[in-house]
Amino acid sequence: MAGSGSWDGSQSDNSSQFEPGIDNIYEAFICPLTKQVMHDPVTLENGQTFEREAIEIWFQECRDNGQPLSCPITSKELSVTDLSPSIALRNTIEEWRARNDALKLDIARQSLYLANAETNILLALKNVREICRNIRKIRHRVRNPQLVRLIADMLKSSSHEVRYNALQTLQVVVEGDDESKAIVAEGDTVRTIVKFLSQELSKGREAAVSVLFELSKSEALCEKIGSVRGAIILLVGLTSSKSEVVSTVEKADKTLTNLEISEENVRVMATNGRLQPLLAKLLEGPPETKISMASYLGDLALNNDVKVIVAQTVGSSLIDLMRTRNMRQREAALRALNNISPFEGSAKVLIDSGILPPLIKDLFYVGPNQLPIRLKEVSATILANIVNIGYDFDKVPVGPDHQTLVSEEIVENLLQLTSNTGPEIQGKLLAVLVGLTSCPNSVINVVSAIRNSAAIISLVQFVEIHENDDLRLASIKLLHNISPYMSEELAKALRGTVGQLGSLVAIILENTTTITEEQAAAAGLLAELPERDLILTMRLLRDGAFEKIISKISGIRQGEIRGIRFERIFLERLVSILARITFALTKETLAISFCRENNLTSVFLELLQSNSQDNIQMASAIALENLSLESKNLTKIPELPPPNYCVSIFSCLTKPPVVLGICKIHQGICSVRESFCLVEGQAVDKLVDLLDHENEKVVGAALAALSTLLEDGLEVERGVRLIDEADGITPILNVLLENQTENLRIRAVWMVERILRIEEIAREVGEEQNVTAALVDAFQNADFRTRQIAEKALRHIDKIPNFSGIFSNIS
């Protein structure tokens, strides 16, 4: 016998080691070269027996050293080097090994209980692994259910090392053995292994993944693994981990690949971000699988980047499913497309893939195999999603005669369908029209179709709907989009019945602490209506709308009403609506009374200082212009006392009576509230500040408001002096010099001519060549009236002779 001798524990076979209860080993079993029990014994011509691999290495070393082939034991040269298999010895060794391993397994089974010493448990687990690795013929003995369950019980140990070794042992036990896998899958062992994916140390996670990978090779266990809560999401997480070892990541990926055989697992993977298996089945699966995958895709929460990937991968296939006659396939495809279409990137991919023609056909087609209304609603939703990306739809054919989505025929069909369907699909169709009218290239086509089909009345009626918020919102947004092009028609339609205008105002003035998209859209619609429509304005006034708008503006400015997304634009539109009351001042005393009662001049003067809010400043300046134009009619001319007898006789020796509080400009008693006087409101400085604004529309409005102080019938010289005191002359001249727009030049030339009526200012300005050049340019190139005014201005600075004066001197 060889004794315990030279066996090296680092070698692959441990079976030569003496342990308690292990059958004795015989010397004939040991290879003289390796000192290990042989697996494939062979005999030389001299009767010496070696491990085949070991003697072959010996022979090769002899050749490499240029020595004759010899026996390692006797060192004698061999005449024949043939290796004869020792079959009898090999069988005897295998019987010994089987007997020996059976004893080891029995000892291991007795050692596998949680109360045992950790070293004993680890040794038992180690022996089981060695037996499974080295002696495949004995593996059926490992299938003993009790032993497998005992190994699984070790996963409950409090020792990391025991749990780790138990996982390693389970991996070896179940490798290639479906019966052992089935035993492991009993109870909650799989759940425990899954738990280790997140709770164990790195090597424990790797071992847990390895066990799951082996289990996943059994189709019967794939659903079992996938059904464990958190299994798939943890595996998916490992595949994208940057901190895990590569082998763990690779095995996690391979495990998920195996689990893909179950459709339910594929759905769970998709939910947790591993979408490719679902897309693959949608592309290549049988019809029922395609329906299942497309339906599930329709319910998934997808980020925008993923929507693009999905559209690129399966967009064309989903569109093909839309075209089939199978209603279940069409429904599944529509729901999936509905989910991936609300993003610009994915929508463009779908357009390029040809989604528009079948969508339009599904919406308009009536006949056999037509879509039910509930699916037409989905089609309309997809179309609404797509058109809201601002694509150039006049270049994409959608009909058999090369019609596009913005062709008048298609738009009229959409309008007709809107009138003949229920509220749900109506809202989606209106959303389509909202998208088309949001694009500058297509809004004109839609407006033309609405005019030709006389659809404005029916569209306005949706404003009164209270049962469907989405439908009402879509209608208001559509009306707002077309209002710059159809303001007169919209005003007429809204004037037609009290209900629609009242509903619109009620939406704007709804008593909420947050501003909604619907309120902002409704305010935008009302702000776009013709500002000089007196009937509309007076109806708003009599309904108390303007008073409530003032309150709303105040609430927003004081922070009582908020809305991060819509606050700014809503406030702008409210101010614009409020400003329309000032256009009625010349015709309605009620408007004057309202402005006085609510001190509207002060309101707009305060709004004028809304820095960085151009539209509010512009609307406020326009309103102040209108208010100021009325000041000359509203100022109170004081009644002078009749002269007494002495004064009437000696009038040349007496001074006229002095009346205190007279306005320098209007020559009467003025106030901000009663006569809307800009001078009394100290508005000149504020308006002059706006003349340096970057927005020429704000500059124009401020210039117009200031010009009301220089109107005929007023004290023009005093008006110029007031503007000069506010350092406003230079900014006005700069407006003329910059010549940004024709409207600004017209206004600036008018004001400069009046300013140059003051002799000392004319002398100073006359020396500035650039001002002279600007006036000459206006004299040569402006409209007729402005040329006349520019001529007067040039005379003031003696650049054009005053011929009338010369002729009078000659005569």
Side-chain angles (χ1 to χ4, degrees), residues 285-299:
E288 285 301 316
T289 298
K290 287 185 176 182
I291 292 173
S292 173
M293 295 298 105
S295 297
Y296 196 74
L297 183 59
D299 295 327

Side-chain angles (χ1 to χ4, degrees), residues 384-639:
N385 292 339
I386 290 173
V387 300
N388 275 287
I389 69 170
Y391 199 82
D392 196 2
F393 291 105
D394 60 352
K395 292 181 173 59
V396 184
V398 299
D401 299 322
H402 302 288
Q403 303 101 319
T404 68
L405 198 55
V406 295
S407 296
E408 194 164 312
E409 177 187 350
I410 298 296
V411 176
E412 287 182 2
N413 285 338
L414 286 170
L415 291 167
Q416 184 178 3
L417 189 59
T418 302
S419 302
N420 297 329
T421 54
E424 295 304 325
I425 192 170
Q426 282 176 330
K428 306 304 180 185
L429 292 171
L430 288 177
V432 172
L433 295 171
V434 169
L436 293 177
T437 53
S438 299
C439 179
N441 294 335
S442 57
V443 62
I444 298 299
N445 301 62
V446 179
V447 168
S448 177
I450 291 173
R451 278 201 178 104
N452 292 340
S453 59
I456 193 69
I457 299 298
S458 58
L459 292 175
V460 167
Q461 289 173 352
F462 288 120
V463 174
E464 290 187 89
I465 291 176
H466 300 289
E467 301 79 17
N468 190 316
D469 293 345
D470 291 337
L471 174 57
R472 188 179 64 240
L473 171 60
S475 70
I476 293 172
K477 289 171 70 175
L478 173 60
L479 295 174
H480 175 223
N481 286 353
I482 65 174
S483 58
Y485 310 91
M486 302 186 70
S487 59
E488 295 289 346
E489 294 99 316
L490 279 169
K492 182 178 179 181
L494 287 168
R495 290 199 308 265
T497 60
V498 177
Q500 289 147 8
L501 181 60
S503 296
L504 196 64
V505 172
I507 292 167
I508 297 170
L509 300 177
E510 187 179 354
N511 189 20
T512 60
T513 56
T514 56
I515 301 163
T516 65
E517 182 182 14
E518 185 176 44
Q519 286 180 302
L525 168 57
L526 197 52
E528 287 287 351
L529 297 181
E531 54 201 12
R532 297 185 185 277
D533 189 320
L534 188 61
I535 297 175
L536 203 62
T537 299
M538 295 313 296
R539 182 172 290 175
L540 292 171
L541 179 59
R542 292 188 178 97
D543 290 345
F546 289 120
E547 203 165 29
K548 294 173 183 175
I549 286 173
I550 293 174
S551 176
K552 204 82 169 176
I553 291 172
S554 175
I556 294 172
R557 288 173 63 82
Q558 292 175 12
E560 297 169 1
I561 303 171
R562 297 175 180 269
I564 296 174
R565 184 179 174 189
F566 302 109
E567 180 177 324
R568 183 187 183 94
I569 195 168
F570 185 54
L571 181 59
E572 289 176 355
R573 291 166 178 176
L574 288 179
V575 173
S576 182
I577 296 169
L578 181 61
R580 71 178 296 126
I581 188 66
T582 64
F583 288 90
L585 294 173
T586 59
K587 297 181 180 178
E588 282 288 345
T589 56
L590 281 177
I592 293 174
S593 299
F594 174 83
C595 292
R596 283 173 165 170
E597 290 168 8
N598 293 277
N599 197 9
L600 215 57
T601 306
S602 294
V603 171
F604 283 116
L605 281 172
E606 186 178 349
L607 290 167
L608 193 68
Q609 301 175 78
S610 302
N611 295 329
S612 302
Q613 291 181 286
D614 296 8
N615 291 334
I616 292 178
Q617 290 179 312
M618 181 176 65
S620 299
I622 291 171
L624 289 170
E625 176 195 4
N626 294 336
L627 289 162
S628 180
L629 286 171
E630 284 301 300
S631 295
K632 62 185 178 183
N633 301 322
L634 300 176
T635 188
K636 290 183 178 179
I637 305 299
E639 294 183 5

Side-chain angles (χ1 to χ4, degrees), residues 543-769:
D543 290 345
F546 289 120
E547 203 165 29
K548 294 173 183 175
I549 286 173
I550 293 174
S551 176
K552 204 82 169 176
I553 291 172
S554 175
I556 294 172
R557 288 173 63 82
Q558 292 175 12
E560 297 169 1
I561 303 171
R562 297 175 180 269
I564 296 174
R565 184 179 174 189
F566 302 109
E567 180 177 324
R568 183 187 183 94
I569 195 168
F570 185 54
L571 181 59
E572 289 176 355
R573 291 166 178 176
L574 288 179
V575 173
S576 182
I577 296 169
L578 181 61
R580 71 178 296 126
I581 188 66
T582 64
F583 288 90
L585 294 173
T586 59
K587 297 181 180 178
E588 282 288 345
T589 56
L590 281 177
I592 293 174
S593 299
F594 174 83
C595 292
R596 283 173 165 170
E597 290 168 8
N598 293 277
N599 197 9
L600 215 57
T601 306
S602 294
V603 171
F604 283 116
L605 281 172
E606 186 178 349
L607 290 167
L608 193 68
Q609 301 175 78
S610 302
N611 295 329
S612 302
Q613 291 181 286
D614 296 8
N615 291 334
I616 292 178
Q617 290 179 312
M618 181 176 65
S620 299
I622 291 171
L624 289 170
E625 176 195 4
N626 294 336
L627 289 162
S628 180
L629 286 171
E630 284 301 300
S631 295
K632 62 185 178 183
N633 301 322
L634 300 176
T635 188
K636 290 183 178 179
I637 305 299
E639 294 183 5
L640 298 177
N644 56 34
Y645 177 76
C646 293
V647 170
S648 61
I649 294 176
F650 304 105
S651 58
C652 59
L653 302 177
T654 60
K655 295 180 179 180
V658 177
V659 181
L660 299 177
I662 297 296
C663 176
K664 297 178 182 178
I665 304 300
H666 302 111
Q667 290 301 292
I669 299 175
C670 283
S671 70
V672 178
R673 178 185 288 271
E674 295 299 323
S675 65
F676 319 142
C677 180
L678 297 185
V679 179
E680 293 297 319
Q682 299 179 347
V684 177
D685 288 338
K686 300 179 179 68
L687 290 167
V688 166
D689 288 342
L690 294 181
L691 295 180
D692 291 325
H693 203 285
E694 294 178 352
N695 188 330
E696 68 268 11
K697 292 182 178 179
V698 175
V699 174
L703 209 58
L706 285 170
S707 70
T708 62
L709 303 178
L710 307 180
E711 288 283 337
D712 292 337
L714 302 180
E715 293 290 334
V716 174
E717 182 177 348
R718 291 183 178 180
V720 173
R721 300 289 184 192
L722 276 174
I723 294 172
D724 190 23
E725 289 171 8
D727 296 325
I729 303 298
T730 299
I732 292 172
L733 292 174
N734 287 338
V735 173
L736 173 66
L737 295 174
E738 289 168 5
N739 194 18
Q740 290 180 312
T741 67
E742 187 61 23
N743 286 335
L744 278 180
R745 178 162 77 168
I746 291 170
R747 179 72 69 177
V749 168
W750 186 91
M751 291 195 72
V752 168
E753 187 276 325
R754 303 212 162 209
I755 290 169
L756 294 179
R757 293 179 186 181
I758 310 302
E759 189 174 342
E760 65 267 28
I761 296 177
R763 282 198 303 271
E764 184 177 345
V765 171
E767 296 175 1
E768 298 183 18
Q769 295 300 318

